[in-house]
């Protein structure tokens, strides 16, 4: 299986488990946003009050799934 196939399988699984939240929320490990991400692409931690668009949440998820 190549990377793109693996990503295509992983993304719907994460979305099913995490859902989507456009405002930062407290998770057991700190604040999260979008599809359960705790960090932005630049490595900054998600903070209380942060917001994201649905498109931004999808891009952030794809970024971390690729990692």
């Amino acid at each position: 299986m190549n990377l793109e196939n693996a990503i295509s399988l992983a993304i719907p699984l994460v979305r099913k488990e995490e859902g989507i939240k456009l405002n930062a929320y407290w998770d057991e490990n700190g604040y999260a946003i979008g599809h359960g991400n705790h960090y932005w692409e630049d490595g900054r931690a998600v903070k209380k009050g942060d917001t994201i668009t649905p498109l931004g949440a999808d891009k952030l998820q794809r970024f971390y799934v690729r990692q």
Side-chain angles (χ1 to χ4, degrees), residues 1-62:
M1 175 179 302
N2 68 32
L3 178 62
E4 290 304 316
N5 287 343
I7 290 170
S8 294
L9 292 172
I11 285 178
L13 294 174
V14 171
R15 289 182 184 176
K16 181 179 178 186
E17 182 69 26
E18 294 289 342
I20 185 171
K21 294 184 181 165
L22 304 180
N23 297 305
Y25 61 95
W26 183 255
D27 193 5
E28 61 189 68
N29 298 315
Y31 282 98
I33 202 162
H35 301 288
N37 294 95
H38 289 265
Y39 298 95
W40 297 102
E41 291 97 329
D42 64 4
R44 289 178 299 121
V46 172
K47 303 181 315 277
K48 181 178 182 179
D50 285 351
T51 62
I52 197 167
T53 65
L55 180 59
D58 292 350
K59 287 181 178 180
L60 184 61
Q61 180 194 26
R62 185 169 290 278

